[in-house]
Amino acid sequence: EKGGYDHFMIKEICEQPKAIRDTLKGRLDLEKKKVVLKEIGLDKEAIERIDRIFITACGTAYHAGLVGKYVIERMVQIPVEVDIASEFRYRDPLITENSLVIVISQSGETADTLAALRMAQKKGARVLAITNVVGSSVAREADDVIYTWAGPEIAVASTKAYVTQLIAIYLLSCYLGQLRGTVSGEQLEEIIEALVRLPGQAEAVLKQQTQIREMARRWAKWEDAFFIGRSLDYAVAMEGQLKLKEISYIHAEAYAAGELKHGTLALIVEGVPVIVLATQKEVYEKTISNLQEVKARGAYITAVAFESDQEIGKLVEETIYIPDTISLVAPVLTVIPLQLLAYYAAVERGSDVDKPRNLAKSVTVE
Ligand code: M6R
């Protein structure tokens, strides 16, 4: 059932172009350049009333939520808070009837996420779920559901579910933006075109597997690594470090690049591996100056950047290029090399990739 692959994880990484395509299917009106989410009951009036959005989830789904905050705030102009479900449910958040609470869960069975959903409904909020499992507890209890069509995800480390959660977030943001009038026709067109290109671009990233596998041989020898980035690259850095820790057992940390000099820079000495994500054009120069800071301390730098950015390659030890796209959707492509590096480093280190120690696929107890 692994379809010729060594592990479910690599099979699922390779299924991402299809998962993205399936999640977009039927939800884009390419003629009118609009997003159609028929499954959602939220109408214009209900959307107008929303004055605050909360996103809550665990692990990788939480990292998708971090992307969600940036994207929704930019496109829908409503303040968004993102919280880990096990924190959210116990902190008595200021939810009202005018709040929209978005829960994200691949399995739809995560105990803390489900408890957060119930708490939000009790406080009168409308809950929208993004989930991959039809008929799961989260899907049944939420007021609205957007399914991610990733297909069954077997490996404990989440990959294709994450990218489809991002797709669901883009679709929802466009949809809310359309109804609230906070996104222009031009912006919508740009995003929709970028979304349509993603499956093919994800294929192109996957074609670099041999090169990434080579790089992972070096990564496998590390005991610590740092992931840095700004804006959406920071959100992807969070996911990249989790993937590496979870399956290769290499200690990894993600930092907002601008935060390094507030402490962590003390750990950056000769030869320390730093992965720099540099796809966000609004903060590109700032990211490069952080790259220079770690370079000056002798870090061993791996960059992930757009193909059009050949300059960055001259500054660092190794670069992985992803196809050019708009900043907003870049996370879908940026995460793929990080998944592959974590996977191949784990294989190299002989870990049980699909079932890492101490972890379960579905965390149904808190
Ligand atoms: O099923 P869920 O999306 O609710 O699961 C949430 C986390 O347990 C999950 O994403 C976990 O962090 C993964 N093992 C990460 O790869």
Side-chain angles (χ1 to χ4, degrees), residues 4 41 65 113 124 130 137 154 167 243 279 342:
T113 309
I130 296 177
S137 305
I154 312 288
I167 298 295
K243 241 28 2 141
T279 69

Side-chain angles (χ1 to χ4, degrees), residues 58 65 132 196 247 266:
C58 303
N132 196 42
V196 170
I247 55 167

Side-chain angles (χ1 to χ4, degrees), residues 58-61 104-110 113 156-158 165 239 242-243 246 360-363:
C58 303
T60 288
I104 309 176
S105 175
Q106 186 283 129
S107 63
E109 302 298 345
T110 300
T113 309
V156 165
S158 183
Q165 284 158 0
E239 175 57 8
L242 178 64
K243 241 28 2 141
E246 186 177 24
K361 180 64 184 163
S362 191
V363 185

Side-chain angles (χ1 to χ4, degrees), residues 220-240:
K221 300 196 184 88
W222 299 345
E223 285 313 324
D224 296 282
F226 294 90
F227 289 71
I228 64 169
R230 284 173 179 256
S231 179
L232 289 175
D233 281 330
Y234 172 44
V236 178
M238 295 284 288
E239 175 57 8

Side-chain angles (χ1 to χ4, degrees), residues 167-232:
I167 298 295
I169 285 164
Y170 297 127
L171 291 168
L172 177 65
S173 307
C174 289
Y175 182 77
L176 297 178
Q178 278 166 202
L179 286 178
R180 277 179 76 108
T182 48
V183 55
S184 71
E186 253 165 71
Q187 275 173 304
L188 269 175
E189 189 168 340
E190 187 187 40
I191 294 165
I192 289 173
E193 278 173 8
L195 290 174
V196 170
R197 282 199 305 269
L198 280 176
Q201 293 180 319
E203 302 272 9
V205 180
L206 290 169
K207 289 214 176 88
Q208 301 177 58
Q209 262 184 82
T210 327
Q211 178 214 340
I212 293 176
R213 186 173 194 157
E214 263 325 295
M215 292 167 64
R217 272 189 229 283
R218 278 190 297 278
W219 282 44
K221 300 196 184 88
W222 299 345
E223 285 313 324
D224 296 282
F226 294 90
F227 289 71
I228 64 169
R230 284 173 179 256
S231 179
L232 289 175

Side-chain angles (χ1 to χ4, degrees), residues 214-219 222 224-226 268-276 291 294-303 315-319:
E214 263 325 295
M215 292 167 64
R217 272 189 229 283
R218 278 190 297 278
W219 282 44
W222 299 345
D224 296 282
F226 294 90
I268 310 295
V269 293
E270 194 64 35
V272 169
V274 178
I275 296 89
V276 181
L291 183 156
V294 295
K295 187 178 160 68
R297 272 94 194 163
Y300 181 92
I301 309 176
T302 306
L315 301 173
V316 302
E317 274 64 37
E318 44 191 24
T319 312

